[in-house]
Amino acid sequence: MGKIIAIANQKGGVGKTTTSINLAASLAVLEYKTLLVDADPQANSTSGIGFDPRTVKASIYECLVNDLSPREAIQHTDTPYLDLLPAHIDLVGAEIEMINLHEREYKMRRILDEVKDEYDFIVIDCSPSLGLITINALSASDSVIIPVQCEYFALEGLGKLLNTIKIVQNRLNTALEIEGILLTMYDVRLRLSNQVVEEVRSHFNELVFDTIIQRNTRLSEAPSFGIAVIMHDANCKGAINYLNLAREILQKNNLIKEEAEHVSV
């Protein structure tokens, strides 16, 4: 039974897609069968893992709106153990098309329930909004990771997101937990980055992951090659950071495989 993790923050540019791609790839490298779900109309997870959203024939849009089986849309990637449920631009209209559907908040849960047993992890890249598709993702998930960038205004909007999560927990998905708050875009040279780390940790304590994602050129380059950073340069800081995040999540969930502990990159 796979664990479903949504990567969500309505604020743009905080590293949601980067985290979705690289966490999913890191779990796959550790030999956990992982499905990356692109639930963002910008389809950056789809292109970032090597697929052209313009040529995708079947996507999560068809699953949500036309009840297509996810098995008909899932693509195998070049990374062993990693599959993709892609998106394309049509997803931008899905919220309007779903508005009159019965139990519209649970469409994604039904889609993922079909394949949940086939994966160890399902990672959902949410769009930078708190619209119906993001609500669907939270309703379908076991937990949510909230990326927060180490920059000015880092905590802006976080209260609104936490309030939305609370509403989902109360009304739609009582089992939803916060997996953790992930600090991203950390620059060790900047005093501001260190101040943000202190501020977030003092506000949220044990909710904050020990792993911090540092600013890294290789991390920024990797999507242009259509691969995760661990496939681009396994020894760079970005790859090591995300592998550490994957291991931290595995330890937190008591899911470490013996052989996974010996995987090195």
Side-chain angles (χ1 to χ4, degrees):
M1 179 73 74
K3 176 160 191 170
I4 304 178
I5 304 175
I7 315 292
N9 192 332
Q10 81 277 18
K11 203 167 187 282
V14 297
K16 278 188 301 296
T17 298
T18 300
T19 295
S20 301
I21 291 171
N22 291 297
L23 172 59
S26 296
L27 289 165
V29 163
L30 293 170
E31 299 186 355
Y32 290 83
K33 196 152 183 2
T34 305
L35 175 65
L36 174 60
V37 178
D38 193 347
D40 183 352
Q42 294 173 81
N44 288 336
S45 276
T46 301
S47 58
I49 211 77
F51 293 85
D52 186 344
R54 295 167 298 182
T55 60
V56 165
K57 296 273 192 299
S59 72
I60 193 165
Y61 168 81
E62 283 78 16
C63 298
L64 287 167
V65 174
N66 300 328
D67 294 323
L68 182 78
S69 167
R71 289 188 184 88
E72 293 183 48
I74 287 171
Q75 304 280 338
H76 299 301
T77 74
D78 291 336
T79 305
Y81 295 94
L82 180 61
D83 290 347
L84 171 73
L85 180 51
H88 57 57
I89 193 63
D90 286 358
L91 189 60
V92 79
E95 298 206 0
I96 297 164
E97 294 179 62
M98 289 165 63
I99 206 78
N100 293 319
L101 295 180
H102 178 61
E103 293 193 321
R104 60 185 181 269
E105 297 90 357
Y106 296 109
K107 292 287 286 182
M108 196 175 297
R109 179 186 289 184
R110 294 203 186 92
I111 291 162
L112 297 182
D113 275 351
E114 277 192 53
V115 294
K116 193 173 182 180
D117 291 343
E118 296 166 31
Y119 294 95
D120 296 308
F121 287 94
I122 297 175
V123 177
I124 308 175
D125 181 16
C126 297
S127 64
S129 75
L130 295 178
L132 185 54
I133 294 173
T134 298
I135 298 298
N136 258 264
L138 294 173
S139 298
S141 296
D142 299 303
S143 66
V144 54
I145 291 174
I146 304 167
V148 173
Q149 84 282 33
C150 294
E151 292 174 2
Y152 199 65
F153 298 133
L155 298 179
E156 189 184 64
L158 200 53
K160 190 175 180 184
L161 175 62
L162 293 171
N163 192 46
T164 299
I165 290 169
K166 197 169 283 186
I167 291 167
V168 171
Q169 287 169 326
N170 290 337
R171 300 183 189 173
L172 301 169
N173 181 4
T174 54
L176 181 67
E177 297 178 343
I178 295 175
E179 190 76 32
I181 292 170
L182 177 67
L183 291 158
T184 63
M185 303 179 191
Y186 175 76
D187 190 334
V188 70
R189 299 165 301 177
L190 298 179
R191 185 190 296 172
L192 177 63
S193 280
N194 294 303
Q195 287 172 342
V196 171
V197 170
E198 286 174 30
E199 189 178 4
V200 173
R201 288 216 157 118
S202 67
H203 268 81
F204 298 104
N205 303 315
E206 72 281 353
L207 270 184
V208 185
F209 284 109
D210 292 334
T211 305
I212 295 176
I213 310 301
Q214 294 167 274
R215 281 195 181 278
N216 181 244
T217 305
R218 291 285 195 236
L219 200 52
S220 306
E221 286 173 356
S224 65
F225 295 97
I227 50 175
V229 71
I230 202 162
M231 297 299 168
H232 181 48
D233 181 353
N235 295 312
C236 73
K237 277 181 185 170
I240 293 163
N241 289 164
Y242 277 108
L243 201 58
N244 286 340
L245 176 65
R247 286 187 169 124
E248 189 175 343
I249 289 167
L250 291 168
Q251 284 169 341
K252 189 176 178 184
N253 289 279
N254 298 312
L255 289 170
I256 287 279
K257 294 177 183 173
E258 279 184 35
E259 65 271 25
E261 292 178 336
H262 303 298
V263 173
S264 60
V265 292

